[in-house]
Amino acid sequence: MKVIELSICLVLLVSIVHGEETMKESEKATFGAGCFWCVEAVFQRLEGVKDVVPGYCGGTKVNPTYNEVCTGRTGHAEVAQITFNPETISFDELLNMFWLSHDPTTKNRQGNDVGTQYRSIIFFHNAKQELLAKTSKKNLEKIGRYKKKIITEIVPTSHFYMAEECHQKYYEKRGLTHLV
């Protein structure tokens, strides 16, 4: 009986350790850079990115809908929440793509999309991401990469609400990934 109990304990211990290792293999990054369809399309192509989920973050309404967010009254930004393997792609590399994929100098606007929900924003998930994001922004300002001031907000992650199913993998479902 003791051998069976010991075997069960070992199996449970291995499961716990393996689970912790699996959890370490992925982290999250949350970026708002205009319409979440475009942000999703840009990041889902990167090696090391496991998943990209369009959604809403940074507002006051619980479980907002797309139509509610579009009014500008909920305070949410359209974002993409990215699950990535930090062994394959770093948060710094994701930040570089974030800066390259939109204009961080325009307030509440990206291209034809206008409104507070389209603001440039980084929601950090931990102190390391906060430091990396702020340092990255500061370095871009220092080298003068943009003629205008970078207005990207860098704030702690608030509750993330996944967007409705019709917004998930938007370009992919429509065969339009070649356009992004």
Side-chain angles (χ1 to χ4, degrees):
M1 200 59 155
K2 295 233 185 237
V3 171
I4 293 173
E5 288 175 10
L6 184 59
S7 297
I8 291 172
C9 286
L10 283 173
V11 168
L12 288 173
L13 182 60
V14 168
S15 296
I16 290 168
V17 169
H18 184 301
E20 287 176 5
E21 286 176 8
T22 302
M23 287 172 50
K24 289 179 188 174
E25 289 178 6
S26 63
E27 293 181 21
K28 292 196 183 303
T30 305
F31 300 130
C35 173
F36 50 32
W37 299 336
C38 295
V39 180
E40 175 191 45
V42 166
F43 284 95
Q44 71 185 6
R45 296 175 177 198
L46 301 177
E47 186 178 344
V49 170
K50 295 178 174 186
D51 195 25
V52 183
V53 179
Y56 317 108
C57 202
T60 56
K61 174 128 180 27
V62 174
N63 203 25
T65 65
Y66 179 76
N67 288 337
E68 290 170 331
V69 171
C70 285
T71 68
R73 294 191 301 258
T74 69
H76 292 88
E78 285 192 17
V79 298
Q81 189 163 83
I82 302 152
T83 303
F84 66 100
N85 179 342
E87 298 295 319
T88 308
I89 188 167
S90 69
F91 185 71
D92 266 333
E93 290 171 303
L94 294 175
L95 282 171
N96 287 336
M97 183 55 72
F98 168 78
W99 297 119
L100 290 170
S101 68
H102 77 297
D103 181 353
T105 69
T106 56
K107 185 172 175 79
N108 301 329
R109 174 184 200 127
Q110 289 301 312
N112 292 328
D113 296 323
V114 180
T116 58
Q117 70 272 26
Y118 300 117
R119 66 190 179 271
S120 177
I121 189 164
I122 298 168
F123 290 97
F124 58 84
H125 290 258
N126 56 49
K128 181 180 176 187
Q129 285 187 358
E130 177 184 20
L131 178 64
L132 290 171
K134 288 180 176 178
T135 301
S136 176
K137 179 180 175 182
K138 184 178 172 183
N139 288 340
L140 290 173
E141 289 173 331
K142 187 187 292 184
I143 64 169
R145 181 166 199 192
Y146 301 97
K147 292 179 182 174
K148 295 189 278 183
K149 183 179 192 266
I150 297 173
I151 52 83
T152 302
E153 299 171 49
I154 300 173
V155 299
T157 299
S158 60
H159 191 83
F160 172 80
Y161 297 97
M162 187 170 113
E164 298 84 344
E165 180 57 35
C166 63
H167 299 294
Q168 305 301 317
K169 302 194 184 330
Y170 186 83
Y171 287 114
E172 187 178 309
K173 287 178 184 175
R174 290 157 181 78
L176 301 172
T177 55
H178 63 282
L179 297 177
V180 181

